[in-house]
Amino acid sequence: MSKGLFIIGIFSSWLLFFSSCKKEATGIDQELYTMASSSSGFTWFKLTGVSLPKSSGSGHNYPFLRTRYNAIASTSLDSIGMVLPNSKFKEGSFIVKELQNSSGSLERYAILYKDSGNEYADAEGWVWGYINSDGTVAETAEKKGTSCIGCHQQSGNIDYGLMNKFFP
């Protein structure tokens, strides 16, 4: 085998390995993905679906985002679509942050779902989802938000939400 074919063979094997490492959403991750994939019945932060530039305090690696709240979570929003100070989101609240690339295309969902009885809920009752727009899992909800909570507990959070702090 020539050196060129050998390198192509290694590269092809690497691509096959890399693409097979993407984990399709199943179980709780699939449930969160299905819920996040529909934008019907949601209210946008500040009542607009306009993409916002990433804040300097964000731990997400995407330049733009939009955040929406289901009907239950939206009861914690004021008349201009901001989270009411000192709110505690009700059971069943579902918050979706749509993370977008530089051209504004959806890349990933960052999800908070208040479901205290869920086996994957954290101590505050939140189930954390981090799922790519193609349905593959960036970080499973089974980890209970361990890589997210540190940032979401910073001062100025409202029941883990930081939209008011970074987008007043």
Side-chain angles (χ1 to χ4, degrees), residues 45-46 52-60 65 67 69 77 81-84 87 89 95 97 110 112 126 128 147-168:
F45 178 72
K46 289 190 173 181
L52 300 169
K54 171 183 162 177
S55 71
S56 60
S58 177
H60 299 288
L65 63 95
T67 301
Y69 304 82
L77 301 179
M82 293 185 66
V83 181
L84 292 163
S87 291
F89 288 95
I95 304 167
K97 189 181 324 178
L112 280 172
W126 288 108
W128 300 77
S147 65
C148 307
I149 290 174
C151 287
H152 281 264
Q153 285 181 327
Q154 65 183 280
S155 68
N157 85 78
I158 302 172
D159 201 11
Y160 283 135
L162 294 165
M163 291 302 292
N164 286 19
K165 177 177 180 172
F166 292 116
F167 302 99

Side-chain angles (χ1 to χ4, degrees), residues 38-116:
S38 170
S39 59
S40 172
F42 283 81
T43 300
W44 293 101
F45 178 72
K46 289 190 173 181
L47 308 179
T48 179
V50 172
S51 297
L52 300 169
K54 171 183 162 177
S55 71
S56 60
S58 177
H60 299 288
N61 295 324
Y62 296 93
F64 298 103
L65 63 95
R66 302 184 318 164
T67 301
R68 54 190 164 92
Y69 304 82
N70 73 353
I72 297 168
S74 68
T75 63
S76 292
L77 301 179
D78 65 16
S79 63
I80 60 170
M82 293 185 66
V83 181
L84 292 163
N86 303 313
S87 291
K88 285 286 184 193
F89 288 95
K90 296 176 185 171
E91 194 71 15
S93 290
F94 193 76
I95 304 167
V96 181
K97 189 181 324 178
E98 296 180 354
L99 302 168
Q100 303 168 335
N101 63 25
S102 58
S103 64
S105 296
L106 176 64
E107 290 283 329
R108 184 172 287 170
Y109 297 109
I111 302 163
L112 280 172
Y113 177 41
K114 189 72 119 357
D115 185 11
S116 300

Side-chain angles (χ1 to χ4, degrees), residues 8-21:
I8 289 171
I10 290 175
F11 182 71
S12 297
S13 297
W14 178 81
L15 281 177
L16 179 63
F17 171 76
F18 181 74
S19 63
S20 67
C21 289

Side-chain angles (χ1 to χ4, degrees), residues 1-10:
M1 178 186 300
S2 74
K3 187 175 182 180
L5 289 176
F6 178 73
I7 291 172
I8 289 171
I10 290 175

